[in-house]
Amino acid sequence: MTAMKLTRRQFGFLAAGAAAAGLLPIPTRAANGSMVAATFPGNWEDAYRRVLTPLVLEAGFDLTIAPALAQDQLAKIMASPGSPAYDTLLMSPGQMAIALENDLIQKIDTSRLANWSKLDPTFQGEYGPTVTVEVNGIAYNPDLVPAPKGYADLFENPAFAGKVSWTGFGSNTAVMAYTQLATIYGSGPDDMDAVFKLFADHPENLAGVVDSTNSQMSLYQQGEIAVFMCSTGNVAKLKSLGLNAEFVHPETGSPAAPVNIHLTKGSANLDAAYAYMDAAISKAAQEQLTLPPTEMFPTNMDVALTPGIEAFVTRDTIPSLVYPDWAMINKNRADWIRAFDALVAG
């Protein structure tokens, strides 16, 4: 292993250690090397470490799961594109577009993925496979509040006053909800001034702003909030912990985001990266991931949907979900983040 690769691996462990210091065992060296896979923190991190690590090891490679939000993944590989911190990235279309613009990811060789043919063509991207589609909406505690009708209900129904939590524009889940609020209260999905005015007129909802969905999950468990913007996976996790949680589709439609694995340009171990990618779309992995506490929608056609998943989405309803204009969001996102942060700071 070269000095450059050693430095990159150390960086990967440091990134992972920020969220799970002391919890990650030093992997036993496999015969064919190792790789670092960026994965969303929380439920995703736990699931991919539990399900994919043994499959990749079985293929002859070590796998380090490095938790990071998609925005943070981008920031790290843009900081050192010649020696990327990760071999693969886990992203939705918004961040993928930025990675492409900055020449940070590469097309994949699908002949190296044994499970490629198992994917619906919709999920066969030239820059990497879609491993699931996250369906977003509203999580609520039926012991504390009624079922919300949609995003506007959270501002207009007094039953929700002071019980709703939001996050900033760095969160894909949040920004998809904000584009719908902008359409409801403004001239269209990019009219974010209407959303900022909405929050200014309802300061009780600014009191529930935190930094991430993971923080909202903690607040929900502690009974400090009763409602937050979520994916169906967040509700599955809460239920697996024994909490009373329900998911509701907004009356304006459920925002959705395909989640893709991308191959980083400059990946230090392509063989390991492909083994990881293939494991993620395998029947063995996706069958496990359809179960609690993740209940991820499977993109492998050989994997049946569970009743828990079919309660929210089926293969037939996937095309009818609301898919935002990520080019528009990327164009405005930095300005929105600054404006929202200033509003929250007062």
Side-chain angles (χ1 to χ4, degrees):
M1 180 178 292
T2 66
M4 182 191 75
K5 291 177 181 175
L6 178 61
T7 301
R8 199 170 74 91
R9 296 299 164 203
Q10 289 173 331
F11 181 87
F13 277 115
L14 286 172
L23 298 179
L24 298 179
I26 297 174
T28 302
R29 280 285 161 231
N32 298 319
S34 61
M35 64 156 294
V36 180
T39 310
F40 305 145
N43 217 20
W44 274 87
E45 172 193 351
D46 296 340
Y48 266 36
R49 183 171 292 128
R50 170 174 52 84
V51 174
L52 296 190
T53 298
L55 293 175
V56 175
L57 185 60
E58 186 178 328
F61 304 96
D62 290 331
L63 171 64
T64 297
I65 297 292
L69 296 174
Q71 290 290 93
D72 296 332
Q73 295 175 36
L74 269 178
K76 286 175 181 171
I77 60 173
M78 289 176 75
S80 57
S83 180
Y86 313 112
D87 293 287
T88 61
L89 306 173
L90 191 67
M91 292 180 166
S92 297
Q95 284 81 21
M96 172 191 164
I98 297 174
L100 274 174
E101 290 172 6
N102 289 275
D103 198 26
L104 298 172
I105 57 178
Q106 57 184 307
K107 291 183 180 179
I108 63 169
D109 177 358
T110 59
S111 69
R112 302 185 68 170
L113 300 176
N115 293 295
W116 184 253
S117 63
K118 303 298 182 183
L119 297 177
D120 182 288
T122 304
F123 304 130
Q124 296 176 332
E126 62 181 342
Y127 285 92
T130 297
V131 293
T132 191
V133 177
E134 281 203 338
V135 179
N136 285 255
I138 304 170
Y140 70 99
N141 185 337
D143 291 335
L144 301 176
V145 291
K149 297 177 183 175
Y151 299 121
D153 206 23
L154 303 178
F155 292 88
E156 297 175 357
N157 186 338
F160 301 109
K163 298 176 181 174
V164 185
S165 176
W166 299 85
T167 60
F169 281 78
S171 160
N172 285 346
T173 296
V175 80
M176 288 191 286
Y178 294 146
T179 57
Q180 291 211 11
L181 281 169
T183 301
I184 296 168
Y185 290 97
S187 59
D190 61 343
D191 186 4
M192 217 50 71
D193 286 344
V195 177
F196 299 143
K197 182 179 184 305
L198 185 66
F199 275 103
D201 292 342
H202 294 272
E204 72 277 7
N205 277 333
L206 281 173
V209 174
V210 295
D211 62 347
S212 69
T213 303
N214 286 329
S215 295
Q216 292 174 319
M217 296 277 283
S218 297
L219 293 176
Y220 191 97
Q221 293 175 60
Q222 296 161 10
E224 297 183 38
I225 62 171
V227 182
F228 67 100
M229 307 317 105
C230 72
S231 67
T232 57
N234 296 128
V235 173
K237 175 68 174 181
L238 291 171
K239 286 185 173 182
S240 75
L241 297 172
L243 296 165
N244 197 2
E246 296 295 340
F247 176 89
V248 64
H249 292 283
E251 57 190 352
T252 47
S254 286
V259 180
N260 310 299
I261 293 179
H262 300 298
L263 185 59
T264 311
K265 276 203 168 180
S267 170
N269 191 335
L270 288 177
D271 291 339
Y274 276 111
Y276 163 74
M277 201 177 293
D278 201 40
I281 60 174
S282 69
K283 182 180 180 182
Q286 294 210 352
E287 279 186 336
Q288 293 186 64
L289 294 170
T290 60
L291 302 175
T294 47
E295 296 193 48
M296 292 182 184
F297 177 86
T299 53
N300 185 314
M301 295 294 289
D302 287 347
V303 180
L305 272 60
T306 65
I309 294 173
E310 286 186 318
F312 302 120
V313 63
T314 67
R315 296 194 188 280
D316 290 338
T317 58
I318 283 286
S320 64
L321 299 173
V322 179
Y323 295 92
D325 180 351
W326 287 104
M328 179 275 291
I329 291 173
N330 288 339
K331 177 183 175 183
N332 294 287
R333 198 165 191 163
D335 289 339
W336 292 345
I337 288 173
R338 284 190 290 271
F340 189 72
D341 288 350
L343 181 65
V344 173

